[in-house]
């Protein structure tokens, strides 16, 4: 049987992973997770105060026709009308024709994201940016292991974010990243939720399993078939049962997660060497224009990922996987790094055209885009190129 007594769970949650030599009395970590509220939509509202109180949705237009694409995010007034991230723009407009629909302005969001990270860094030595609008900080030292000091620190950060950026965020504080992230989402918007080590089981128990990282709609419905709906339900199951259902890695992860156990340290992710997207085309083709168009759409995703990570590229490559499964790659490097989508798309055009002119008989089945020679966008310098959206 899995260990479910409160005592054993508390011991697990209190487990210290990084030795703390300076403050040996600290027996557990304190992790802060900050997540901006309806981030893109809030940035837009801030730029145009007339939108305050009204439903606003930010759209990523695919360009196929005037309304094709998906909702990136919606403010809370638009969410109350039923608009959600990922919903087709056309569907959202049917549900809520009165809402304001705006195109995404990534340069604006990236700039704000940088400023938020700077505010957190002023107060916390160890930070990890997890996405464009969320950051973790290990505040064990800053709070001297005391949750009251941790809470005051979070209040200071929230105040500074609001004063400097005129935006609200939600913060979670807990003994690890897993629980801190769930806590930041617990009282959105403008929330602050503190979960002390002995409160972890009680905090998690009533929540639906989808709150755990890695539980998407598919896993959620598989678990529901077994009568597992809440995290408390999940905790009653043997590890072997979860491993049988979800495989070793995910089964173990869920078993540990349901107990609020997460040993991952807060650390700045290492810079990736490359970012790429490869996909299969609807039908095989020898038409360079078709391949280039396909890759140009993938390029939007590649550039977005790079921007989310605050990265710029020096080298752009197009990958052609032929019907005979042979792979060919064509690349071009630049003197300067930037994160310009137009530059990437024009290279894709040139490289695709020259590849098909040099290889008249090839038939392409899959194609992709890769950026490499990545470097951090420097503030000021890098910002300029990020603006070139
Ligand atoms: P989230 O933090 O997931 O969402 P949010 O900040 O809009 O709202 P919440 O108050 O619930 O935190 O994502 C941050 C930004 O990432 C969001 O503003 C827009 C973008 N995003 C997408 O473009 N597509 C998506 O499907 C999601 C979930 C987010
Ligand atoms: Mg957010």
């Amino acid at each position: 049987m899995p260990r479910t007594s409160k005592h054993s769970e508390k011991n697990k949650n209190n487990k210290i992973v990084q030795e703390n030599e300076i403050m040996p009395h600290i027996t557990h970590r304190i992790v802060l997770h900050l997540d901006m509220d309806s981030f893109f939509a809030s940035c837009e509202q801030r730029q145009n105060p007339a939108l305050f109180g009204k439903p606003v949705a930010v759209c990523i237009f695919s360009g196929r026709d005037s309304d094709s694409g998906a909702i990136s995010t919606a403010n809370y007034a638009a969410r109350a009308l039923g608009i959600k991230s990922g919903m087709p723009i056309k569907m959202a407009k049917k549900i809520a024709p009165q809402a304001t629909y705006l195109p995404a302005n990534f340069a604006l969001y990236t700039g704000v994201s940088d400023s938020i990270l700077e505010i957190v860094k002023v107060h916390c030595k160890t930070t990890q940016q997890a996405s464009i609008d969320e950051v973790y900080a290990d505040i064990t030292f800053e709070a001297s292991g005391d949750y009251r000091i941790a809470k005051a620190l979070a209040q200071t950060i929230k105040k500074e974010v609001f004063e400097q950026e005129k935006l609200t965020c939600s913060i979670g504080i807990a003994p690890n990243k897993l629980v801190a992230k769930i806590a930041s989402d617990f009282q959105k918007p403008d929330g602050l939720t503190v979960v002390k080590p002995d409160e972890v089981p009680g905090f998690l128990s009533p929540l639906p399993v989808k709150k755990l990282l890695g539980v998407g709609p598919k896993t959620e419905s598989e678990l529901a078939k077994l009568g597992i709906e809440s995290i408390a339900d999940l905790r009653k199951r043997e590890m072997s049962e979860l491993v049988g259902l979800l495989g070793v890695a995910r089964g173990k992860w869920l078993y540990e997660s349901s107990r609020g156990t997460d040993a991952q340290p807060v650390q700045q992710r290492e810079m990736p060497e490359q970012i790429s997207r490869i996909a299969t085309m609807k039908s095989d083709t020898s038409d360079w224009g078709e391949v280039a168009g396909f890759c140009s759409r993938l390029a939007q995703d590649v550039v977005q990922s790079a921007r989310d990570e605050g990265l710029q590229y020096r080298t752009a490559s197009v990958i052609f996987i032929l019907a005979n499964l042979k792979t060919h790659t064509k690349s071009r490097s630049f003197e300067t790094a930037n994160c310009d989508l137009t530059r990437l798309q024009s290279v894709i055009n040139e490289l695709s055209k020259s590849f098909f002119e040099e290889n008249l008989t090839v038939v392409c089945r899959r194609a992709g885009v890769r950026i490499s020679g990545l470097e951090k966008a420097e503030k000021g310098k890098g910002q300029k190129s990020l603006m070139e959206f």
Side-chain angles (χ1 to χ4, degrees):
M1 279 289 287
R3 293 189 300 161
T4 52
S5 81
K6 202 168 175 187
H7 181 70
S8 61
E9 277 178 353
K10 187 175 168 192
N11 282 345
K12 270 187 155 185
N13 287 318
N14 283 353
K15 192 170 78 177
I16 185 154
V17 178
Q18 278 170 336
E19 286 305 326
N20 184 337
E21 287 166 11
I22 301 170
M23 286 183 277
H25 63 284
I26 296 177
T27 54
H28 54 76
R29 256 192 221 163
I30 305 183
V31 175
L32 176 152
H33 180 258
L34 176 153
D35 189 293
M36 300 303 293
D37 299 325
S38 58
F39 184 47
F40 293 3
S42 301
C43 291
E44 296 295 343
Q45 267 176 202
R46 185 190 75 174
Q47 299 308 97
N48 181 0
L51 295 173
F52 267 109
K54 297 184 182 156
V56 176
V58 175
C59 306
I60 300 192
F61 291 100
S62 67
R64 199 170 303 158
D65 62 52
S66 63
D67 269 352
S68 63
I71 301 294
S72 164
T73 197
N75 68 358
Y76 283 74
R79 288 180 201 191
L81 301 172
I83 304 182
K84 291 182 185 158
S85 291
M87 182 181 267
I89 298 166
K90 286 185 182 126
M91 186 193 287
K93 285 193 172 178
K94 264 191 207 145
I95 297 172
Q98 72 273 41
T100 302
Y101 293 87
L102 299 168
N105 175 356
F106 289 104
L108 169 65
Y109 316 141
T110 312
V112 177
S113 174
D114 286 349
S115 306
I116 304 292
L117 184 61
E118 287 308 313
I119 293 172
V120 178
K121 279 185 167 170
V122 166
H123 297 281
C124 316
K125 198 167 118 277
T126 310
T127 60
Q128 176 182 350
Q129 186 167 26
S131 78
I132 193 162
D133 88 325
E134 54 176 329
V135 55
Y136 290 98
D138 186 323
I139 55 168
T140 316
F141 288 99
E142 287 82 350
S144 304
D146 183 333
Y147 274 76
R148 281 166 306 181
I149 302 175
K151 186 175 180 184
L153 179 59
Q155 281 162 335
T156 304
I157 292 173
K158 276 170 69 72
K159 190 162 167 271
E160 286 186 16
V161 167
F162 190 72
E163 281 173 0
Q164 292 179 33
E165 294 298 321
K166 302 284 172 280
L167 293 170
T168 62
C169 62
S170 296
I171 292 184
I173 293 175
N176 57 46
K177 288 166 77 176
L178 172 88
V179 182
K181 185 171 165 74
I182 297 173
S184 74
D185 187 52
F186 191 65
Q187 301 186 70
K188 265 184 170 286
D190 203 14
L192 171 53
T193 303
V194 179
V195 185
K196 293 184 203 143
D198 59 350
E199 296 167 346
V200 169
F203 171 69
L204 292 180
S205 285
L207 300 178
V209 284
K210 68 174 179 205
K211 292 284 174 189
L212 296 174
L213 199 71
V215 179
K218 201 170 151 234
T219 310
E220 191 188 4
S221 78
E222 280 175 60
L223 293 172
K225 280 185 211 150
L226 299 171
I228 302 172
E229 287 183 351
S230 68
I231 296 178
D233 296 336
L234 189 60
R235 203 185 296 143
K236 287 181 199 137
R237 302 304 174 116
E238 301 278 357
M239 188 194 279
S240 56
E241 189 185 352
L242 299 177
V243 166
L245 184 70
L246 302 162
V248 177
R250 287 175 66 220
K252 274 189 173 168
W253 165 253
L254 269 198
Y255 180 85
E256 298 294 346
S257 298
S258 70
R259 284 157 179 74
T261 307
D262 175 22
Q264 291 179 85
V266 174
Q267 60 189 5
Q268 206 45 263
R269 259 182 294 170
E270 276 183 26
M271 210 156 67
E273 283 179 11
Q274 57 178 54
I275 299 173
S276 60
R277 297 284 181 278
I278 299 179
T280 306
M281 287 180 296
K282 269 200 184 124
S283 51
D284 296 359
T285 183
S286 300
D287 177 345
W288 77 262
E290 238 177 77
V291 176
F294 183 79
C295 289
S296 284
R297 288 190 288 280
L298 296 178
Q300 293 177 5
D301 208 18
V302 167
V303 163
Q304 185 52 48
S305 293
R307 286 178 179 156
D308 285 350
E309 302 272 342
L311 298 174
Q312 305 183 326
Y313 67 91
R314 249 176 220 286
T315 302
S317 308
V318 188
I319 302 150
F320 310 96
I321 301 167
L322 307 183
N324 62 10
L325 299 181
K326 284 199 172 141
T327 301
H328 296 262
T329 305
K330 272 189 149 309
S331 304
R332 161 124 355 124
S333 291
F334 297 90
E335 258 177 44
T336 55
N338 71 22
C339 203
D340 185 8
L341 177 61
T342 318
R343 177 173 86 168
L344 183 57
Q345 289 177 327
S346 87
V347 175
I348 289 169
N349 266 335
E350 284 170 36
L351 296 179
S352 303
K353 188 164 187 271
S354 69
F355 175 73
F356 280 88
E357 281 174 357
E358 287 159 17
N359 300 278
L360 289 174
T361 57
V362 296
V363 179
C364 190
R365 172 164 295 172
R366 284 162 62 73
V369 183
R370 179 169 68 220
I371 55 173
S372 51
L374 299 176
E375 45 192 76
K376 271 270 170 216
E378 274 176 51
K379 275 207 119 188
K381 242 178 160 180
Q383 215 59 15
K384 189 170 171 289
S385 50
L386 281 167
M387 293 292 184
E388 297 161 16
F389 182 68

